[in-house]
Amino acid sequence: MVRAGLTAERLARAGAELADEVGFEQVTVSALARRFDVKVASLYSHLKNSQDLKTRIALLSLEELADRGAAALAGRAGKDALTALADVYRDYAREHPGRYAAAQLRLDPETAAASAGVRHAQMTRAILRGYDLTEPDQTHAVRMLGSVFHGYVSLEMTGGFSHSAPDSQETWERILDALDALLRNWPAS
């Protein structure tokens, strides 16, 4: 008998909470069953396996990030928009480290194409239109921004900047200033 109230969505949300508590890599169907005090088998009517659970957490995380990004970008342009989106990623990673890790999960092409990950790229491209970038430079810039945001956030989350001055916030602001300057003066192809 399936436990009343358990759905794939509820399990994904509980899995996301668990990921924030113990780390995304530690999330399994067994760990989730313990959280609900049910047998593992009862969750398989909602989930295929641990990979399905992780994919659902990744999709939830991408959706949450996209919603935050869209709200932060409303009415902004240029450096203000660039900073707003960058801060969304950084703040989300700080508040939800497990979900942030989940958002980096490699998805199969079909799932990725139907995910909120597409909205992330669209928001970044919208910011870049304010810098008058065209293809293929726009794609290069999308990749650069994603790399810088994720790289910095990942290093900061693992304590990479906690052992020396200046404060990592000061460095973050300098990086965003440098990115803005680079985008305004993007080299011609």
Side-chain angles (χ1 to χ4, degrees):
M1 180 171 147
V2 177
R3 183 152 179 154
L6 291 183
T7 63
E9 181 180 336
R10 184 168 179 217
L11 293 171
R13 290 201 175 282
E17 291 169 10
L18 185 61
D20 286 338
E21 294 167 16
V22 301
F24 181 59
E25 290 304 316
Q26 304 307 314
V27 175
T28 62
V29 174
S30 297
L32 200 55
R34 285 191 298 275
R35 188 176 200 98
F36 283 100
D37 196 26
V38 298
K39 298 213 181 286
V40 172
S42 67
L43 299 186
Y44 286 119
S45 59
H46 305 288
L47 303 168
K48 295 176 192 168
N49 50 37
S50 286
Q51 187 60 39
D52 180 37
L53 173 61
K54 287 187 175 196
T55 298
R56 289 174 185 275
I57 295 167
L59 294 173
L60 171 70
S61 301
L62 287 168
E63 188 74 33
E64 289 176 346
L65 263 169
D67 290 347
R68 285 184 181 201
L73 289 176
R76 297 176 192 238
K79 184 178 179 221
D80 192 31
L82 175 70
T83 299
L85 187 61
D87 285 343
V88 162
Y89 287 112
R90 187 173 181 223
D91 293 345
Y92 188 80
R94 288 173 164 177
E95 293 170 33
H96 301 290
R99 293 178 204 212
Y100 183 78
Q104 311 311 312
L105 182 70
R106 183 182 181 126
L107 302 172
D108 66 75
E110 185 177 315
T111 303
S115 78
V118 174
R119 287 175 55 205
H120 293 263
Q122 290 169 338
M123 287 185 287
T124 305
R125 287 179 185 280
I127 291 168
L128 294 173
R129 280 194 295 275
Y131 291 98
D132 295 323
L133 294 182
T134 58
E135 287 300 341
D137 292 329
Q138 202 176 81
T139 296
H140 295 313
V142 167
R143 292 173 179 169
M144 177 191 69
L145 292 175
S147 298
V148 172
F149 297 165
H150 178 65
Y152 192 87
V153 166
S154 296
L155 288 168
E156 186 176 46
M157 287 176 59
T158 59
F161 307 130
S162 62
H163 302 98
S164 63
D167 180 72
S168 64
Q169 177 62 32
E170 184 179 335
T171 304
W172 180 248
E173 292 168 6
R174 297 284 302 267
I175 287 171
L176 295 176
D177 287 343
L179 288 172
D180 174 63
L182 174 61
L183 291 169
R184 279 188 280 109
N185 299 296
W186 192 267
S189 298

